[in-house]
Amino acid sequence: MFSPVTSLPQLEGPGMPAILFKFTRRLAMCGLLALAGCATSPPPAGRGAQAPAVPGGSDAPVLLRFDNSRLELQIQGQTCKLQWRGEFPSNAVALMNQALYEMEHHRCQRKIMALDLQGGDIGPAITVGAMLKNRQFNTELLPGSYCHTPCVLVLAAGRQRLLPDSSPPARLLLSQVRPDLDFGQATCATELSPGQQLTLLRYLRAMLPLPTATSLYEKIRQATCRSHETLGAPEALSLGLATGMLPAVPR
């Protein structure tokens, strides 16, 4: 399983009482589990988030909102589908944990994440992607969607990565990564910090075939504030980012 965390810090030191060490180490472990999306209870979604629309266990849709972001859980038999639209929120990991908590009330044999997200940062996107990968989700784009780079990173986590046969077509916009606040400069060119470079490349290689991961990384790195590459279905299939097409929806 992929996780952006590689090691647990050593907390024990000279003179620290054993009971305090055990307590602090337990807290650190809980933090790592929450980051990987494995916590048993969902953290609060943050200010502005709305509670689920219905109690868990019902087949009625469960809707979570935060500002301009809408995450909806749909249940059809043993298929559990999350639809995420709007702005990629700053508390994306907390919202995803809440949705996964709701899914625990259902027998989800098939899990799907459908996306139409704009904006956002790559850090939360990578964590959400790891959560999907570890739970064997398929991913897809919603018809007519404009999927920016953080959205593309989440799409990349799917076992199957499907694009809709729709009009207007779905598009993948390899938009510029926001600069690291402690490293980036106020320039139009993309300036990935060493940490961003390592995390992004390692993530893509964990999610995609190596040639696809390398090519996608270069396309994202070359984006600027004035230009970026846009992929349609043929380009995404050729690159290996998409694995297939969804059936056309009858009009």
Side-chain angles (χ1 to χ4, degrees), residues 6-251:
T6 57
S7 63
L8 182 69
Q10 298 299 316
L11 299 175
E12 188 173 18
M16 178 179 284
I19 186 170
L20 179 59
F21 168 68
K22 291 180 180 179
F23 177 71
T24 53
R25 187 172 183 85
R26 182 179 294 273
L27 286 178
M29 182 60 74
C30 287
L32 296 183
L33 290 175
L35 181 60
C38 300
T40 55
S41 60
R47 183 175 59 83
Q50 293 184 359
V54 297
S58 170
D59 283 348
V62 176
L63 178 61
L64 302 171
R65 288 180 179 270
F66 183 83
D67 291 339
N68 295 321
S69 185
R70 173 190 173 107
L71 178 59
E72 182 176 352
L73 170 60
Q74 300 175 350
I75 308 295
Q76 186 173 8
Q78 294 184 330
T79 297
C80 297
K81 184 173 185 178
L82 292 169
Q83 288 193 352
W84 206 341
R85 302 175 184 269
E87 293 292 324
F88 201 109
S90 58
N91 71 333
V93 176
L95 283 179
M96 188 66 201
N97 264 326
Q98 284 192 302
L100 293 174
Y101 177 77
E102 291 298 324
M103 289 177 62
E104 291 178 1
H105 299 287
H106 304 276
R107 296 181 178 179
C108 299
Q109 297 298 316
R110 185 165 177 256
K111 291 168 281 191
I112 303 169
M113 170 65 84
L115 299 160
D116 181 8
L117 289 171
Q118 296 80 49
D121 293 309
I122 64 171
I126 284 173
T127 302
V128 169
M131 296 161 75
L132 298 181
K133 180 75 169 181
N134 294 342
R135 291 163 178 79
Q136 300 184 332
F137 271 74
N138 293 331
T139 55
E140 59 189 52
L141 293 189
L142 290 163
S145 60
Y146 283 88
C147 185
H148 292 191
T149 289
C151 171
V152 173
L153 298 180
V154 177
L155 177 74
R159 298 175 64 192
Q160 296 182 38
R161 303 176 296 278
L162 305 177
L163 302 185
D165 183 3
S166 63
S167 179
R171 296 289 185 184
L172 297 136
L173 284 70
L174 304 182
S175 52
Q176 185 178 32
V177 174
R178 293 177 180 174
D180 188 307
L181 294 179
D182 296 323
F183 182 86
Q185 303 296 321
T187 63
C188 185
T190 296
E191 291 188 345
L192 297 176
S193 71
Q196 286 178 318
Q197 294 177 41
L198 180 61
T199 301
L200 181 58
L201 189 55
R202 176 174 176 260
Y203 173 83
L204 291 173
R205 287 177 174 175
M207 300 297 160
L208 300 167
L210 182 59
T212 303
T214 302
S215 179
L216 185 59
Y217 171 80
E218 289 300 324
K219 292 177 184 296
I220 293 172
R221 191 178 63 83
Q222 292 168 8
T224 71
C225 66
R226 287 188 291 267
S227 66
H228 58 261
E229 190 166 349
T230 300
L231 305 179
E235 295 84 5
L237 288 166
S238 176
L239 183 63
L241 176 57
T243 60
M245 297 292 294
L246 292 164
V249 178
R251 296 183 178 180

